[in-house]
Amino acid sequence: MTEIDLSVIGLGYVGMPLAKEAVAAGLKVVGVDVDPAKVDALNAGRSYIDDLSDADLEHMLANGFSATLDETVLARSNTIVICVPTPLDEDHRPDLSAVEGATKAVARNLSKGTLVVLESTTWPGTTDEVARPLLETSGLVAGEDFHLAFSPERIDPGNPKFGLRNTPKVVGGFTPTCRDRATSFYGRFIEQVVPVSGTREAEMAKLLENTYRHVNIALVNEMAIFCDELGIDLWESIEAAATKPFGFQKFLPGPGVGGHCIPVDPSYLSYTVRKLGYPFRFVELAQEINERMPSYVVARVQRLLNRHKKPVNGAKVVMLGVTYKPDIADERETPALPVARALLELGADLSFADPYVKEWSVDGTPVPREEDLAEAVVGADVTLLLQQHAAFDLDMVEAKARLVLDTRGVLAEGERVERL
């Protein structure tokens, strides 16, 4: 049977960039997923990932990559990397069902000497306490018969400067030998690998990175609320503070936080701390503030319309940008959704414009898409800028829109334009 250098389980925003770089380094790579639509699309050369073009995928396929639903390929793999989603459930608790399902599939097909790496973000202890026992149902022992490691993903979709290859890769092993095996593996296609003493340290590093961002975003979001009431231009203050060459990093307010990492990862850390018997107050306060921002944005829309003697009910509101960050198609945890939901409940006549999203709905209700941006902003009672896609003509928006609420601080304030 053909030997496989790497099997990637989970062919999304984390798994596919990993597969791409491994193929480029000459590795024989197979992708495994439970979604037939994803497998069929990849094998047909159609990418659904922002950071992977059809041309990239065509090159991968030409160099031996394939996607499959068949988990038995794992038995022929030297290395298996698990890159499945780790969302929160309805009660904001970690949902590890995808990790458990993938790990069980590995256990059913685990061969002696294989390296198994978990990349999915999770609470410290998951690799040892959840993944390892499941893998050892195979009859093989971690650290003796197979190697086990954790290496947190650091994918930033749409980032033009940092990708998988040039972003340092943290690696923690179940044993020092496991760590060394994983470090050697990633070193084949990543410029800098950062080994740490264990899997828990690697798991914590990921949560620390994103909790740091979460807390600082909450800080400027709360400042945006009271600076508006104090008549202070926070955006100008942030730019002034950012001129300090040490001791300050710029964070910007916005309509809420989106993507998989910032809204989700700190809750994994809070969950871990709560198991010790007390709350992680910084994280829970930050969560409260950031989750408040969509409703604050809606209140600002109401206020803007009221100043011009218009109710929200019946007002034509066009939302610009419904993805969670600029210049990508990723809608995961986008704050546009709770903003739209609240506006619809208030009776707004809602539409959206987004070059990356062809169809969009709120709780099953389709929201009309504006094809002509200029026509949309001229016809709207208020334009709500949620995401500053480069494709948007912001000068035109500034010049022609009747009223604008700019949640990204990219337009000049004036009689018709307010910034968050």
Side-chain angles (χ1 to χ4, degrees):
M1 291 189 290
T2 305
E3 186 177 76
I4 299 167
D5 294 311
L6 169 63
S7 285
V8 178
I9 304 178
L11 304 179
Y13 282 85
V14 176
M16 286 310 298
L18 174 66
K20 173 188 169 184
E21 292 297 344
V23 169
L27 277 65
K28 168 71 174 175
V29 181
V30 172
V32 181
D33 206 285
V34 295
D35 185 344
K38 285 184 177 179
V39 168
D40 290 345
L42 291 173
N43 287 330
R46 299 191 307 273
S47 175
Y48 44 82
I49 305 297
D50 284 298
D51 291 339
L52 186 76
S53 67
D54 286 352
D56 291 332
L57 184 53
E58 185 178 327
H59 180 268
M60 291 173 65
L61 293 167
N63 284 274
F65 173 77
S66 63
T68 184
L69 299 168
D70 181 10
E71 68 177 50
T72 63
V73 300
L74 302 174
R76 297 184 280 122
S77 304
N78 287 329
T79 298
I80 301 168
V81 179
I82 298 171
C83 304
V84 296
T86 47
L88 299 174
D89 65 17
E90 292 181 357
D91 297 319
H92 276 249
R93 294 175 304 189
D95 179 0
L96 295 184
S97 56
V99 168
E100 291 169 350
T103 306
K104 289 174 183 177
V106 174
R108 288 191 291 268
N109 298 278
L110 190 58
S111 301
K112 197 166 185 177
T114 303
L115 167 64
V116 181
V117 184
L118 178 61
E119 285 204 5
S120 305
T121 304
T122 185
W123 46 268
T126 300
T127 305
D128 184 31
E129 298 169 18
V130 177
R132 182 173 63 85
L134 289 173
L135 292 169
E136 290 182 343
T137 62
S138 64
L140 301 178
V141 178
E144 296 178 16
D145 302 314
F146 69 95
H147 302 282
L148 177 63
F150 181 83
S151 181
E153 61 88 4
R154 282 174 160 174
I155 298 297
D156 184 17
N159 190 318
K161 184 177 180 181
F162 292 106
L164 185 77
R165 177 174 289 277
N166 66 345
T167 300
K169 196 84 168 82
V170 173
V171 173
F174 176 63
T175 66
T177 304
C178 294
R179 177 197 63 210
D180 293 346
R181 169 75 184 273
T183 299
S184 176
F185 163 71
Y186 283 113
R188 297 176 70 178
F189 52 90
I190 293 176
E191 293 173 7
Q192 181 185 358
V193 180
V194 183
V196 295
S197 60
T199 55
R200 283 174 171 80
E201 286 73 20
E203 290 161 336
M204 181 60 80
K206 171 65 173 179
L207 297 183
L208 176 59
E209 292 168 19
N210 286 327
T211 300
Y212 169 79
R213 292 169 61 200
H214 182 61
V215 168
N216 280 283
I217 290 168
L219 172 65
V220 292
N221 276 338
E222 187 165 38
M223 291 182 77
I225 294 171
F226 68 69
C227 280
D228 173 60
E229 295 185 27
L230 293 172
I232 296 169
D233 186 339
L234 177 62
W235 301 92
E236 184 177 350
S237 297
I238 290 171
E239 293 304 323
T243 63
K244 186 179 181 182
F246 54 89
F248 182 82
Q249 182 178 354
K250 181 170 76 172
F251 288 85
L252 297 172
V257 291
H260 172 75
C261 293
I262 303 302
V264 176
D265 294 0
S267 293
Y268 274 67
L269 188 50
S270 179
Y271 168 81
T272 302
V273 175
R274 279 198 169 274
K275 290 196 296 182
L276 301 175
Y278 48 86
F280 190 177
R281 289 178 291 173
F282 259 120
V283 164
E284 293 175 11
L285 179 58
Q287 195 87 14
E288 179 185 327
I289 292 167
N290 287 333
E291 288 181 352
R292 173 189 175 188
M293 291 309 291
S295 62
Y296 175 68
V297 167
V298 173
R300 289 288 299 274
V301 170
Q302 285 182 291
R303 192 180 78 184
L304 185 57
L305 286 167
N306 283 343
R307 284 177 178 166
H308 291 79
K309 300 180 170 52
K310 294 181 189 229
V312 176
N313 192 358
K316 185 162 182 55
V317 180
V318 60
M319 298 170 56
L320 304 191
V322 296
T323 59
Y324 90 86
K325 66 184 294 188
D327 303 324
I328 65 168
D330 197 340
E331 299 172 41
R332 291 177 298 172
E333 306 294 332
T334 173
L337 187 60
V339 169
R341 184 180 292 124
L343 287 170
L344 288 171
E345 287 174 357
L346 290 170
D349 179 6
L350 197 62
S351 62
F352 82 97
D354 195 307
Y356 297 93
V357 180
K358 302 306 177 188
E359 294 180 351
W360 195 58
S361 61
V362 176
D363 302 328
T365 301
V367 177
R369 184 177 189 267
E370 300 285 0
E371 301 296 335
D372 186 312
L373 183 63
E375 187 178 306
V377 300
V378 168
D381 293 304
V382 62
T383 296
L384 178 55
L385 179 61
L386 293 175
Q387 207 52 264
Q388 71 277 32
H389 294 310
F392 288 150
D393 184 346
L394 297 181
D395 290 337
M396 180 277 296
V397 172
E398 201 173 283
K400 294 189 175 182
R402 297 184 198 174
L403 296 171
V404 183
L405 178 62
D406 170 18
T407 69
R408 296 299 179 179
V410 292
L411 303 178
E413 277 203 298
E415 186 179 336
R416 293 176 295 104
V417 178
E418 282 191 11
R419 292 195 289 187
L420 194 63

